[in-house]
């Protein structure tokens, strides 16, 4: 299973990087993603997790004309409720329910089921997360769709002194694809992989009860845009486009322990 997931992600990454001569690349402004998390520790390593995230697009700070409507200073907001049950020391199964809105009456409702595996890899911990999500838009006429996501990561927990302090450096890579069993003639063209994210972070833990995790990521959307032609019939723009977005984030997690030892409990990184 481990080799299968890793090979699948590697294949997805290779397919998502076509020849440069056939693909255009654009880079947008930095996005800021602060997130607050509340985790309730359950028996074993199980947990309930509630997260609230704001998203600010710095490109909007330079727009001419009226400023975009914002809530609490954010262009977009997301709430997420998650539960995860540990099947064994290395395997866990869970589900999430996400609510995403972009400061308007329209929103997305995103339920997800996930399977996670974590095991030692030398001095590191190697993690894999496979999930299926269904996106339900509220906009009239918009279609729902199913996405598959696969993430791998490497991390190391480094205790500092004897006061329960620790550093948690971590690197992760995620790829997502739209699952479409039947394609209608009116459906738009899509690339095999539509999204990837490479994320690096250094978390700081306090007694297993508080996590402070700054992180940086390069996120890429792999699109197919309408081609544009000149009077000679030569394509001048459009086609395949890699839209890159740098993201700077900060996760703050508060953990509520109920009659358990924070030192012996297996606690996952803040990137759920």
């Amino acid at each position: 299973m481990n080799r299968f997931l890793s090979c699948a992600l590697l294949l997805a990454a290779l397919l998502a990087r076509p020849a440069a001569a056939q693909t255009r690349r654009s880079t947008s402004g930095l996005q800021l993603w602060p997130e607050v998390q509340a985790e309730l520790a359950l028996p074993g390593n199980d947990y309930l997790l509630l997260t609230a995230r704001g998203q600010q697009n710095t490109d909007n700070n330079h727009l001419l004309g009226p400023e975009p409507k914002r809530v609490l200073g954010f262009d977009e907001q997301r709430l997420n409720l998650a539960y995860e049950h540990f099947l064994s020391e290395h395997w866990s199964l869970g589900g999430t329910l996400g609510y995403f809105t972009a400061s308007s009456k329209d929103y997305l409702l995103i339920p997800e089921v996930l399977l996670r595996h974590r095991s030692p890899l030398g001095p590191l911990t190697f993690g894999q997360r496979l999930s299926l999500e269904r996106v339900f838009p509220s906009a009239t006429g918009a279609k729902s769709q199913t996405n598959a996501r696969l993430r791998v990561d490497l991390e190391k927990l480094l205790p500092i002194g004897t006061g329960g302090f620790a550093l948690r450096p971590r690197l992760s890579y995620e790829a997502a694809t739209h699952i479409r069993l039947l394609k209608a003639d009116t459906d738009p063209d899509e690339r095999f992989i539509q999204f990837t994210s490479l994320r690096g972070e250094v978390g700081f833990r306090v007694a297993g009860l508080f996590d402070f995790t700054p992180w940086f990521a390069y996120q890429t959307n792999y699109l197919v845009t309408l081609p544009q032609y000149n009077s000679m019939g030569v394509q001048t723009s459009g086609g395949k486009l890699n839209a890159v977005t740098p993201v700077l984030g900060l996760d703050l997690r508060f953990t509520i322990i109920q009659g358990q030892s924070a030192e012996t409990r297996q606690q996952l990184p803040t990137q759920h």
Side-chain angles (χ1 to χ4, degrees), residues 147-162:
N147 301 318
R149 295 181 179 273
L150 179 60
R151 182 200 304 159
V152 296
D153 60 81
L154 286 171
E155 67 167 284
K156 175 67 174 177
L157 191 63
L158 303 171
I160 302 175
T162 58

Side-chain angles (χ1 to χ4, degrees), residues 150-200:
L150 179 60
R151 182 200 304 159
V152 296
D153 60 81
L154 286 171
E155 67 167 284
K156 175 67 174 177
L157 191 63
L158 303 171
I160 302 175
T162 58
F165 299 96
L167 289 178
R168 194 172 204 163
R170 178 173 172 273
L171 182 67
S172 70
Y173 184 80
E174 179 178 355
T177 184
H178 175 202
I179 296 179
R180 184 168 53 183
L181 299 180
L182 296 175
K183 183 178 184 299
D185 294 337
T186 56
D187 289 341
D189 291 333
E190 290 182 332
R191 296 162 71 176
F192 178 67
I193 295 295
Q194 287 90 48
F195 173 82
T196 61
S197 175
L198 176 63
R199 165 170 162 161

